[in-house]
Amino acid sequence: KAKIGVLVADVSGEEAQGFRSYYENYIAGNYDVEFNYTDALQSAEDEKTAIEKFASQGCQAIISFSSNDRVQQIETCEKYGVYYAVASGVLDDAQYETYKTYEYFAGQVGPGNDTEFEAGKDMGAYYKEQGVSKVAIYGAFIPTQCMFTVLLVSLTDWVAPMAEKAI
């Protein structure tokens, strides 16, 4: 039976719960695989410790929903000979170019930073055309230096000028 460790930053979030349900109710039920999960990870050191623990427990792969330090995660998995996949988000272009040839880097799931940027720009343009002048942006970006909760911003004072500069 294959053993896969799952790094989770927010164990109560819908994304993590949805994937856990999918892994346990479909994947584990149809394939010879066992999933082990972390508690909420709050730091890069927590992530590294979890990977080391999973490796010592015989996990052959890590799926990551935690992004305090993806570079350290990849390098730790490489050190222990454990396959690694980013399940939520993507590496930036420079990181991807560096790690895409690593033996144990299995890849990433996500549309890519350029696609996400374009989608945000398109949404801003759409709502501006609809006459919306205020929007609420909710996010819990990880890494932690980017975290923010709810901001009320003026579309014409903040989002639209940013989109215009990007064009």
Side-chain angles (χ1 to χ4, degrees), residues 14-46:
E14 289 181 22
E15 179 183 47
Q17 289 179 1
F19 272 102
R20 185 172 187 152
S21 176
Y22 172 69
Y23 292 160
E24 292 177 357
N25 297 322
Y26 178 74
I27 300 294
N30 290 288
Y31 300 92
D32 196 20
V33 63
E34 170 187 321
F35 293 96
N36 297 308
Y37 301 85
T38 63
D39 292 326
L41 299 172
Q42 304 201 3
S43 68
E45 190 56 39
D46 289 348

Side-chain angles (χ1 to χ4, degrees), residues 81-115:
V82 175
Y83 290 98
Y84 174 84
V86 178
S88 180
V90 294
L91 301 174
D92 67 38
D93 292 341
Q95 290 171 336
Y96 182 76
E97 286 303 314
T98 299
Y99 296 106
K100 70 181 182 181
T101 59
Y102 272 43
E103 181 177 357
Y104 293 96
F105 178 64
Q108 57 191 4
V109 176
N113 294 320
D114 291 340
T115 302

